[in-house]
mmCIF file of all heavy atoms in Angstrom:
data_model
loop_
_atom_site.group_PDB
_atom_site.id
_atom_site.type_symbol
_atom_site.label_atom_id
_atom_site.label_comp_id
_atom_site.label_asym_id
_atom_site.label_seq_id
_atom_site.Cartn_x
_atom_site.Cartn_y
_atom_site.Cartn_z
ATOM 1 N N GLY A 1 101.968 128.675 82.222
ATOM 2 C CA GLY A 1 101.729 127.376 81.677
ATOM 3 C C GLY A 1 102.043 127.218 80.217
ATOM 4 O O GLY A 1 101.392 126.409 79.656
ATOM 5 N N GLU A 2 102.853 127.906 79.609
ATOM 6 C CA GLU A 2 103.129 127.772 78.109
ATOM 7 C C GLU A 2 103.910 126.676 77.751
ATOM 8 O O GLU A 2 103.823 126.193 76.629
ATOM 9 C CB GLU A 2 103.675 129.140 77.645
ATOM 10 C CG GLU A 2 103.797 129.211 76.167
ATOM 11 C CD GLU A 2 104.229 130.653 75.687
ATOM 12 O OE1 GLU A 2 104.072 131.559 76.410
ATOM 13 O OE2 GLU A 2 104.620 130.688 74.451
ATOM 14 N N PHE A 3 104.758 126.043 78.576
ATOM 15 C CA PHE A 3 105.892 125.172 78.102
ATOM 16 C C PHE A 3 105.679 123.870 78.906
ATOM 17 O O PHE A 3 105.389 123.784 80.164
ATOM 18 C CB PHE A 3 107.182 125.735 78.449
ATOM 19 C CG PHE A 3 107.442 126.941 77.608
ATOM 20 C CD1 PHE A 3 107.326 128.202 78.097
ATOM 21 C CD2 PHE A 3 107.962 126.819 76.247
ATOM 22 C CE1 PHE A 3 107.549 129.296 77.402
ATOM 23 C CE2 PHE A 3 108.195 128.026 75.530
ATOM 24 C CZ PHE A 3 107.951 129.225 76.116
ATOM 25 N N ASP A 4 105.856 122.728 78.261
ATOM 26 C CA ASP A 4 105.920 121.533 78.770
ATOM 27 C C ASP A 4 107.106 121.179 79.454
ATOM 28 O O ASP A 4 107.162 120.360 80.523
ATOM 29 C CB ASP A 4 105.781 120.310 77.640
ATOM 30 C CG ASP A 4 104.483 120.479 76.868
ATOM 31 O OD1 ASP A 4 103.456 119.889 77.326
ATOM 32 O OD2 ASP A 4 104.363 120.958 75.797
ATOM 33 N N ALA A 5 108.179 121.787 79.111
ATOM 34 C CA ALA A 5 109.465 121.693 79.913
ATOM 35 C C ALA A 5 110.162 122.982 79.734
ATOM 36 O O ALA A 5 110.234 123.767 78.763
ATOM 37 C CB ALA A 5 110.197 120.584 79.225
ATOM 38 N N VAL A 6 110.966 123.286 80.851
ATOM 39 C CA VAL A 6 111.739 124.545 80.858
ATOM 40 C C VAL A 6 113.131 123.995 81.313
ATOM 41 O O VAL A 6 113.166 123.334 82.280
ATOM 42 C CB VAL A 6 111.229 125.642 81.831
ATOM 43 C CG1 VAL A 6 112.157 126.773 82.024
ATOM 44 C CG2 VAL A 6 109.734 126.025 81.510
ATOM 45 N N THR A 7 114.117 124.454 80.610
ATOM 46 C CA THR A 7 115.514 123.928 80.998
ATOM 47 C C THR A 7 116.511 125.144 80.940
ATOM 48 O O THR A 7 116.209 126.133 80.178
ATOM 49 C CB THR A 7 115.888 122.807 80.062
ATOM 50 O OG1 THR A 7 117.185 122.423 80.412
ATOM 51 C CG2 THR A 7 115.906 123.198 78.588
ATOM 52 N N ILE A 8 117.370 125.102 81.695
ATOM 53 C CA ILE A 8 118.497 126.141 81.701
ATOM 54 C C ILE A 8 119.904 125.371 81.989
ATOM 55 O O ILE A 8 120.060 124.652 82.942
ATOM 56 C CB ILE A 8 118.225 127.272 82.736
ATOM 57 C CG1 ILE A 8 119.284 128.329 82.617
ATOM 58 C CG2 ILE A 8 118.017 126.727 84.064
ATOM 59 C CD1 ILE A 8 118.935 129.594 83.456
ATOM 60 N N SER A 9 120.882 125.641 81.149
ATOM 61 C CA SER A 9 122.176 124.969 81.466
ATOM 62 C C SER A 9 123.217 126.079 81.451
ATOM 63 O O SER A 9 123.442 126.901 80.614
ATOM 64 C CB SER A 9 122.437 124.059 80.123
ATOM 65 O OG SER A 9 121.676 123.015 80.076
ATOM 66 N N PHE A 10 123.907 126.122 82.565
ATOM 67 C CA PHE A 10 125.036 126.945 82.890
ATOM 68 C C PHE A 10 124.711 128.305 82.813
ATOM 69 O O PHE A 10 125.447 129.170 82.392
ATOM 70 C CB PHE A 10 126.223 126.642 81.979
ATOM 71 C CG PHE A 10 126.621 125.144 82.057
ATOM 72 C CD1 PHE A 10 126.336 124.363 80.915
ATOM 73 C CD2 PHE A 10 127.041 124.540 83.122
ATOM 74 C CE1 PHE A 10 126.793 122.968 80.922
ATOM 75 C CE2 PHE A 10 127.515 123.242 83.155
ATOM 76 C CZ PHE A 10 127.240 122.439 82.074
ATOM 77 N N GLY A 11 123.422 128.655 83.190
ATOM 78 C CA GLY A 11 123.010 130.023 83.035
ATOM 79 C C GLY A 11 122.314 130.506 84.415
ATOM 80 O O GLY A 11 122.375 131.712 84.752
ATOM 81 N N LEU A 12 121.770 129.611 85.248
ATOM 82 C CA LEU A 12 121.082 130.058 86.447
ATOM 83 C C LEU A 12 122.099 130.694 87.421
ATOM 84 O O LEU A 12 121.788 131.650 88.165
ATOM 85 C CB LEU A 12 120.524 128.990 87.272
ATOM 86 C CG LEU A 12 119.581 129.103 88.311
ATOM 87 C CD1 LEU A 12 118.318 130.055 87.960
ATOM 88 C CD2 LEU A 12 119.078 127.883 88.912
ATOM 89 N N ARG A 13 123.406 130.325 87.314
ATOM 90 C CA ARG A 13 124.441 130.783 88.179
ATOM 91 C C ARG A 13 124.751 132.281 87.779
ATOM 92 O O ARG A 13 125.244 132.983 88.605
ATOM 93 C CB ARG A 13 125.760 129.977 87.791
ATOM 94 C CG ARG A 13 126.938 130.108 88.714
ATOM 95 C CD ARG A 13 128.133 129.378 88.194
ATOM 96 N NE ARG A 13 128.690 130.017 87.124
ATOM 97 C CZ ARG A 13 128.473 129.555 85.878
ATOM 98 N NH1 ARG A 13 127.710 128.416 85.585
ATOM 99 N NH2 ARG A 13 129.023 130.074 84.770
ATOM 100 N N ASN A 14 124.225 132.736 86.740
ATOM 101 C CA ASN A 14 124.479 134.131 86.343
ATOM 102 C C ASN A 14 123.439 135.032 86.546
ATOM 103 O O ASN A 14 123.525 136.206 86.126
ATOM 104 C CB ASN A 14 124.880 134.140 84.757
ATOM 105 C CG ASN A 14 126.142 133.282 84.442
ATOM 106 O OD1 ASN A 14 127.119 133.346 85.141
ATOM 107 N ND2 ASN A 14 126.032 132.575 83.280
ATOM 108 N N VAL A 15 122.302 134.624 86.987
ATOM 109 C CA VAL A 15 121.187 135.259 87.258
ATOM 110 C C VAL A 15 121.216 136.132 88.629
ATOM 111 O O VAL A 15 121.687 135.534 89.514
ATOM 112 C CB VAL A 15 119.900 134.417 87.232
ATOM 113 C CG1 VAL A 15 118.675 135.348 87.703
ATOM 114 C CG2 VAL A 15 119.737 133.703 85.968
ATOM 115 N N VAL A 16 120.833 137.432 88.424
ATOM 116 C CA VAL A 16 120.943 138.270 89.675
ATOM 117 C C VAL A 16 119.976 137.833 90.804
ATOM 118 O O VAL A 16 120.404 138.034 91.996
ATOM 119 C CB VAL A 16 120.751 139.798 89.283
ATOM 120 C CG1 VAL A 16 119.231 140.001 88.936
ATOM 121 C CG2 VAL A 16 121.057 140.771 90.444
ATOM 122 N N ASP A 17 118.901 137.235 90.582
ATOM 123 C CA ASP A 17 118.000 136.902 91.498
ATOM 124 C C ASP A 17 117.460 135.510 91.242
ATOM 125 O O ASP A 17 116.428 135.283 90.433
ATOM 126 C CB ASP A 17 116.660 137.879 91.640
ATOM 127 C CG ASP A 17 115.778 137.550 92.807
ATOM 128 O OD1 ASP A 17 115.774 136.519 93.328
ATOM 129 O OD2 ASP A 17 115.117 138.576 93.246
ATOM 130 N N VAL A 18 118.038 134.440 91.798
ATOM 131 C CA VAL A 18 117.804 132.999 91.539
ATOM 132 C C VAL A 18 116.400 132.680 91.813
ATOM 133 O O VAL A 18 115.716 131.965 91.114
ATOM 134 C CB VAL A 18 118.853 132.071 92.057
ATOM 135 C CG1 VAL A 18 118.457 130.662 91.948
ATOM 136 C CG2 VAL A 18 120.312 132.395 91.585
ATOM 137 N N ALA A 19 115.948 133.165 93.012
ATOM 138 C CA ALA A 19 114.637 132.793 93.504
ATOM 139 C C ALA A 19 113.560 133.257 92.596
ATOM 140 O O ALA A 19 112.665 132.662 92.295
ATOM 141 C CB ALA A 19 114.450 133.224 94.933
ATOM 142 N N LYS A 20 113.729 134.543 92.140
ATOM 143 C CA LYS A 20 112.782 135.088 91.175
ATOM 144 C C LYS A 20 112.713 134.384 89.923
ATOM 145 O O LYS A 20 111.731 134.243 89.246
ATOM 146 C CB LYS A 20 113.068 136.716 91.099
ATOM 147 C CG LYS A 20 111.963 137.331 90.282
ATOM 148 C CD LYS A 20 112.241 138.847 90.184
ATOM 149 C CE LYS A 20 111.147 139.559 89.678
ATOM 150 N NZ LYS A 20 111.390 141.128 89.723
ATOM 151 N N ALA A 21 113.952 134.011 89.410
ATOM 152 C CA ALA A 21 114.092 133.233 88.157
ATOM 153 C C ALA A 21 113.302 131.910 88.189
ATOM 154 O O ALA A 21 112.634 131.509 87.337
ATOM 155 C CB ALA A 21 115.525 133.101 87.688
ATOM 156 N N LEU A 22 113.498 131.197 89.296
ATOM 157 C CA LEU A 22 112.889 129.777 89.419
ATOM 158 C C LEU A 22 111.440 129.970 89.617
ATOM 159 O O LEU A 22 110.803 129.240 89.066
ATOM 160 C CB LEU A 22 113.534 129.200 90.747
ATOM 161 C CG LEU A 22 114.890 128.621 90.650
ATOM 162 C CD1 LEU A 22 115.358 128.119 91.988
ATOM 163 C CD2 LEU A 22 114.998 127.516 89.575
ATOM 164 N N ALA A 23 111.012 131.033 90.292
ATOM 165 C CA ALA A 23 109.537 131.272 90.433
ATOM 166 C C ALA A 23 108.937 131.548 88.993
ATOM 167 O O ALA A 23 107.819 131.131 88.737
ATOM 168 C CB ALA A 23 109.313 132.489 91.255
ATOM 169 N N GLU A 24 109.694 132.249 88.147
ATOM 170 C CA GLU A 24 109.183 132.678 86.741
ATOM 171 C C GLU A 24 109.199 131.251 85.886
ATOM 172 O O GLU A 24 108.297 131.172 85.102
ATOM 173 C CB GLU A 24 110.163 133.667 86.077
ATOM 174 C CG GLU A 24 109.763 135.005 86.444
ATOM 175 C CD GLU A 24 108.480 135.490 85.788
ATOM 176 O OE1 GLU A 24 108.448 136.016 84.557
ATOM 177 O OE2 GLU A 24 107.469 135.315 86.377
ATOM 178 N N MET A 25 110.216 130.441 86.054
ATOM 179 C CA MET A 25 110.248 129.262 85.373
ATOM 180 C C MET A 25 109.021 128.308 85.667
ATOM 181 O O MET A 25 108.288 127.749 84.852
ATOM 182 C CB MET A 25 111.481 128.496 85.591
ATOM 183 C CG MET A 25 112.750 129.178 84.945
ATOM 184 S SD MET A 25 114.276 128.410 85.478
ATOM 185 C CE MET A 25 115.345 129.697 85.461
#
């Protein structure tokens, strides 16, 4: 809960585990 907003542009496509990345966000 550190951030009011989390954003990612043209990078999620390059992540090896999208579900894990979204859970972390």
